Amino acid sequence: MKKILLVVAFVICSNLQAQERPKLVVGIVVDQMKMEYLYRFQSDFTENGFKRLMNNGYTFHNAHYNYMPTYTAPGHASVYTGTTPTMHGIVSNEWFHRTLKREVYCTDDASVTTLVPGTESEGKMSPKNLQSTTITDELKLSTNFKGKVIGISIKDRGAILPAGHFADWAFWYCKTGEFISSSFYGEKLPTWVTDFNKEKNYLGYTNKGWDLLKPKETYNESLADDNPYEGKLYKKTPFFPYNMKEMIDNNDAGVIRVSPYGNDLLADFAKKAIEKEQLGKDEITDFLALSFSSTDYIGHTFGPRSIEIQDTYLRLDQNIADFLNYLDKTVGKDKYLVFLTADHAGAENVTYLKDNKYQVNNINYKNVESDLKEFSKATFGEDLILNYSSYNIYYNKDILKSKGLELEKVNEAFKGFLYSKEYVKRVYTEQEILASSGSDVILDFIAKGYDPTQNGDLLFAYKPGYMEYSATGTTHGSPYSYDTHVPVIFYGWKIPKGKSYDKKVITQIAPTVSQLLQITMPNSTDSKVLTEVFEK
């Protein structure tokens, strides 16, 4: 009898111990999602998508990024490392590398090969440029590499950076219509991925075209269809319906990225990954990092006030609802943990603001660079500008040395020139950035995004509302709230219902997940957690 009781006690204790972690963590990043979208489109959402997350999970209404530039790659890296670019090293999507003196793409890796023939330029990728560990890395370490980690996105950087250094796989979409990966992860694609690619599932979506999900009068939260602030979709007038088949026939399968069907295809692929990789099927926690990228492509093209972006979010709401139902059935209710956020938000279209009497302008980055070079020639008799990109100005130090120019005087001259421009708010030298005390708000944002081995000699910030972009659509990258304010929602395993309007920062997500899972935090995080999501 004693033996039976001991066995029962052992089983009970084992089960209790097993419940200390969820079976599956799903991290969802929605590219270029403004928190405002959850308010503006709320009346048209279903009860089972975003509303389910908000009503039954914990929503942080006032969460922000705390550095610049607010771009995709730094955003994904910051969410998963719990730190900013100054520590994790992903300072932009692509940038001029100060030490290497050449352009660098965030996930480029010449040492690896693509696993899908014919996709060399899109497949030679890995996380080697990421300097910090991620929550996914720490989960692998804490489970002795038994827990599976898979990253999936339409964008390479959206899959690779969240999945971290130790991932089992990262998969991203390419212009051939296939999900690909690199030799960093394995010698060949899993059979299920090859089979999925052979099915050409993207054609099932694009062949039916893109029309509105709901009657046109539903979209009264947006500007009129084909308004002057929208860009064209593959040279086609921005007006529903869109003939996606014709666009693919004239271009390539990458067309699906700039439609809500990119999100549909990604969700299909994610469910297949859960099924075939048996994610969440045992008591060892697995992690699926899922990044929806089509929202960003559509936002850039059409802008935040377009019917296209509203239709995309109404459809994404259905994707979320369907995916949560799938998790309920395959992993089990209350046995999985979900967090949802964005890698950045997005600005209002500048032309739209101007037409409504806000005195702001679009700035052409090529004009910024040419103006800097002309000023340099006129002032110093030489072009001292080695590179201008992502608000960074790099000097040609060889010319400075050969001309005997003092760096301090050169800096002061360029600062004076930049402050004469209508679009410049602040200009900082490397010395000022590294000496930041946090008292200057804009300098603090720049300092948190600055790596002295990679970034420039001077950095500047635009005035609010100004941006480097075309007259249509929108972009992002600034330290202002329209680019930093994003949703943060926790849902599922052990997450209480609730909401907070206190200001939070995006780098709190990773250490919070680490504490929920009771694992080591990513090695560069500042370890501040969102205490509200812990059971009282």
Side-chain angles (χ1 to χ4, degrees), residues 67 71-78 88 90 92-93 95 106 157 161 343:
Y67 63 84
Y71 292 150
T72 296
H76 283 81
S78 297
H88 63 60
I90 305 298
S92 188
N93 293 334
W95 62 94
C106 57
R157 52 191 183 268
L161 297 172
D343 55 348

Side-chain angles (χ1 to χ4, degrees), residues 30 38 44 52 73 116 124 140 144 152 167 219 235 273 292 294 307 332 338 394 399 424 431 445 498 516:
V30 183
L38 288 177
D44 299 319
R52 176 179 172 182
V116 178
K124 294 169 72 65
K140 292 293 289 187
N144 290 324
I152 297 173
Y219 299 82
K235 301 181 180 179
F292 289 100
S294 290
I307 288 181
V338 171
Y394 300 79
I399 295 179
V424 172
Q431 291 74 22
F445 269 77
L516 286 168

Side-chain angles (χ1 to χ4, degrees), residues 162-223:
H165 302 274
F166 308 137
D168 295 270
W169 285 102
F171 303 107
W172 54 98
Y173 186 75
C174 74
K175 62 186 178 182
T176 64
E178 298 166 288
F179 281 93
I180 64 174
S181 192
S182 78
S183 59
F184 178 86
Y185 302 98
E187 295 181 358
K188 65 178 183 177
L189 287 179
T191 302
W192 68 265
V193 178
T194 302
D195 291 342
F196 186 92
N197 287 337
K198 287 178 180 178
E199 294 170 0
K200 297 187 182 298
N201 293 280
Y202 68 92
L203 292 176
Y205 290 112
T206 57
N207 284 346
K208 63 184 178 182
W210 178 15
D211 204 350
L212 291 172
L213 177 67
K214 298 186 176 185
K216 206 161 196 174
E217 56 269 22
T218 305
Y219 299 82
N220 55 358
E221 294 86 0
S222 302
L223 298 178

Side-chain angles (χ1 to χ4, degrees), residues 15 47 70 73 90 96 114 118 139 187-188 228-229 251 288 302 336 373 394 414 459:
N15 287 335
E47 294 299 317
T70 40
I90 305 298
F96 184 84
T114 182
L139 179 64
E187 295 181 358
K188 65 178 183 177
Y229 314 110
N251 296 277
L288 177 65
F302 299 104
Y336 60 87
K373 289 177 176 290
Y394 300 79
F414 275 104
L459 271 84

